[in-house]
């Protein structure tokens, strides 16, 4: 009843992945600088500069260090433009959802390309980590809607989520709980972006991180760019993926807020790249509720891993969503594409 099953598994030799020279140099230069609070395990944000903060996770907060590598990830470029086409299917495999949107995203802290470090003085003063704006072209009832998201480094500060609602011609500030709403009616919430963007915190959806395993698991990739999904009449099967054994951390995030949509998450993080490949989200009854899996593609000439496809599944309502992503670097991007002004000037 779920789309995008794998009828075949083509196993290829495990390859080595690597980051571009600026990311590698920043990681090596700042190794050992980032500190955690010895009592809570929460990062001391003032100690983080750039690069991956914990290239060799260890000690009693090993799971937390690994997860902070994910939170400070270099996935694609510091500034990027993205077009996404997402389709959803109900349990009968009948398509019931189509969303098309473009997406500007800028990393504001820990940059390794110009401007180096902080993007600007405002980002430094307000502790902004990254920001993105997404404009919808489909479905029709969302045409012209624009979402703007600012993620803050401070773990105790709610991120800033605003939306231009085209039918009202008004900008609305979404509350902290709205981050649990399904994005565009799909199979994930705003905090499921890229797999999981939930910050370790004592007050904002407090959680506990635990390393529950380290092992090798077969994961798919689309490095060749030839993967595709068959038609509904042929079962919506996912073909031409290449599978390789990947070393992973298995991290459990226990959510301590009983009002949160999930009771806990199980995350499978690649030990070489620190990128999360699969997240299993369980509801308050302990049932597997939603999963998010990313299908990456590696660009060896640039030392960049990009997001080819994103597969989301609702295992209770038996609904599937697959997002095809087309991403490119935009080093010239400024505040004009990620601020509130963008909501007013581009909303329809």
């Amino acid at each position: 009843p779920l789309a995008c099953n794998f009828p075949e598994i083509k196993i290829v030799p495990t390859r080595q992945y690597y980051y571009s020279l600026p990311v590698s140099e920043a990681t090596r230069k700042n190794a050992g600088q980032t500190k955690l609070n010895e009592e809570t395990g929460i990062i001391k944000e003032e100690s983080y500069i750039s690069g991956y903060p914990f290239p060799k996770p260890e000690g009693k907060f090993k799971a937390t260090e690994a997860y902070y590598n994910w939170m400070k990830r270099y996935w694609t470029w510091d500034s990027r433009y993205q077009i996404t086409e997402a389709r959803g299917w109900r349990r009968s495999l009948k398509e019931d959802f189509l969303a098309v949107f473009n997406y500007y995203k800028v990393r504001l802290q820990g940059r390794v390309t110009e401007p180096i470090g902080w993007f600007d003085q405002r980002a430094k003063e307000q502790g902004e980590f990254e920001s993105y704006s997404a404009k919808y072209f489909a479905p029709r009832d969302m045409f012209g809607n624009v979402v703007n998201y600012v993620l803050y480094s401070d773990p105790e500060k709610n991120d800033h989520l605003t939306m231009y609602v085209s039918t009202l011609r008004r900008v609305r500030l979404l509350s902290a709980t709205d981050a649990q709403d399904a994005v565009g009616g799909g199979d994930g919430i705003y905090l499921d972006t890229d797999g999981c963007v939930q910050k370790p915190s004592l007050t904002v959806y407090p959680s506990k991180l635990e390393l529950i395993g380290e092992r090798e698991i077969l994961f798919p990739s689309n490095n060749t760019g030839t993967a595709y999904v068959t038609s509904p009449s042929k079962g919506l099967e996912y073909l031409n993926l290449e599978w390789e054994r990947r070393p992973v951390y298995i991290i459990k995030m226990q959510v301590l807020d009983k009002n949160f949509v999930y009771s806990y998450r199980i995350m499978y993080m690649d030990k070489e790249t620190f990128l999360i490949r699969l997240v299993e989200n369980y509801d308050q009854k302990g049932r597997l509720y939603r999963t998010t899996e990313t299908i990456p593609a590696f660009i060896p000439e640039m030392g960049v891993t990009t997001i080819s496809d994103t597969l989301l599944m609702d295992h209770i309502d038996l609904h599937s969503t697959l997002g095809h992503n087309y991403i490119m670097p935009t080093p010239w991007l400024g505040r004009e594409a990620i601020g509130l002004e963008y909501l007013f000037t581009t909303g329809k």
Side-chain angles (χ1 to χ4, degrees):
L2 294 170
C4 301
N5 291 297
F6 312 118
E8 59 185 18
I9 296 179
K10 177 186 177 182
I11 300 177
V12 298
T14 298
R15 65 178 299 176
Q16 181 181 16
Y17 295 95
Y18 50 86
Y19 284 99
S20 63
L21 191 58
V23 175
S24 302
E25 289 181 335
T27 300
R28 183 175 61 179
K29 178 181 178 181
N30 299 311
Q33 299 296 316
T34 307
K35 305 298 181 183
L36 299 180
N37 184 300
E38 287 298 322
E39 296 180 0
T40 65
I42 300 296
I43 195 172
K44 296 179 180 179
E45 279 295 339
E46 67 278 3
S47 67
Y48 173 72
I49 302 173
S50 63
Y52 278 91
F54 303 104
K56 296 181 180 180
E58 58 185 359
K60 66 176 182 178
F61 292 124
K62 186 174 182 177
T64 307
E65 290 184 357
Y67 187 70
Y68 273 121
N69 286 330
W70 164 252
M71 294 301 294
K72 304 297 184 182
R73 63 193 174 278
Y74 291 85
W75 202 344
T76 69
W77 298 271
D78 281 348
S79 302
R80 79 184 197 217
Y81 175 73
Q82 175 177 331
I83 299 176
T84 295
E85 177 191 81
R87 294 181 181 272
W89 301 275
R90 60 186 64 170
R91 67 183 68 189
S92 64
L93 299 187
K94 180 179 180 180
E95 183 176 316
D96 64 353
F97 176 73
L98 169 63
V100 180
F101 57 89
N102 66 9
Y103 185 100
Y104 291 102
K105 189 171 187 177
V106 176
R107 186 185 179 108
L108 303 171
Q109 180 197 24
R111 294 176 58 89
V112 296
T113 55
E114 293 293 339
I116 302 293
W118 292 98
F119 184 73
D120 54 22
Q121 189 62 29
R122 170 182 159 179
K124 184 175 182 178
E125 291 175 353
Q126 298 188 13
E128 299 172 334
F129 174 66
E130 65 182 12
S131 179
Y132 72 76
S133 294
K135 178 181 177 181
Y136 282 83
F137 301 95
R140 189 170 182 82
D141 60 352
M142 292 186 65
F143 176 80
N145 285 6
V146 184
V147 177
N148 178 251
Y149 207 175
V150 180
L151 286 79
Y152 296 102
S153 299
D154 186 349
E156 312 307 331
K157 184 175 182 179
N158 281 309
D159 297 327
H160 192 262
L161 180 59
T162 52
M163 175 181 288
Y164 177 84
V165 184
S166 60
T167 54
L168 301 176
R169 295 191 177 182
R170 295 289 187 275
V171 172
R172 291 290 181 259
L173 174 65
L174 281 68
S175 68
T177 56
D178 290 325
Q180 300 182 55
D181 289 348
V183 181
D187 297 311
I189 63 176
Y190 286 98
L191 290 176
D192 293 339
T193 302
D194 288 350
C196 180
V197 291
Q198 186 175 337
K199 297 180 289 189
S201 172
L202 300 177
T203 58
V204 181
Y205 308 128
S207 59
K208 177 184 177 182
L209 290 166
E210 177 186 2
L211 184 64
I212 61 174
E214 297 181 49
R215 56 182 297 189
E216 288 186 351
I217 297 179
L218 281 172
F219 275 111
S221 64
N222 186 25
N223 291 328
T224 62
T226 61
Y228 68 97
V229 177
T230 62
S231 64
S233 63
K234 295 184 179 181
L236 291 172
E237 293 180 332
Y238 218 151
L239 301 179
N240 280 11
L241 291 169
E242 292 186 336
W243 296 69
E244 59 182 290
R245 291 162 58 128
R246 299 300 306 165
V248 297
Y249 295 116
I250 306 175
I251 300 173
K252 180 178 181 179
M253 174 184 280
Q254 185 77 46
V255 183
L256 304 180
D257 185 347
K258 299 302 180 182
N259 294 316
F260 193 70
V261 63
Y262 306 135
S263 61
Y264 65 94
R265 303 174 185 264
I266 303 293
M267 297 173 285
Y268 298 81
M269 176 188 292
D270 192 295
K271 295 174 68 173
E272 184 177 42
T273 63
F274 298 116
L275 299 179
I276 291 178
R277 300 295 305 271
L278 172 67
V279 182
E280 300 170 344
N281 302 300
Y282 293 79
D283 67 10
Q284 290 295 337
K285 294 182 179 181
R287 300 174 299 179
L288 178 61
Y289 184 8
R290 293 177 174 136
T291 57
T292 302
E293 183 168 9
T294 55
I295 312 295
F298 182 60
I299 307 173
E301 295 83 1
M302 303 184 75
V304 169
T305 299
T306 186
I307 312 166
S308 173
D309 288 348
T310 306
L311 177 60
L312 303 98
M313 291 185 175
D314 186 320
H315 297 265
I316 294 178
D317 295 331
L318 299 179
H319 194 273
S320 317
T321 301
L322 180 69
H324 292 286
N325 307 296
Y326 308 90
I327 306 174
M328 62 195 75
T330 53
W332 59 85
L333 206 60
R335 286 274 182 182
E336 73 282 351
I338 57 168
L340 283 175
E341 296 81 6
Y342 184 76
L343 276 67
F344 289 102
T345 57
T346 63
K348 299 296 183 181

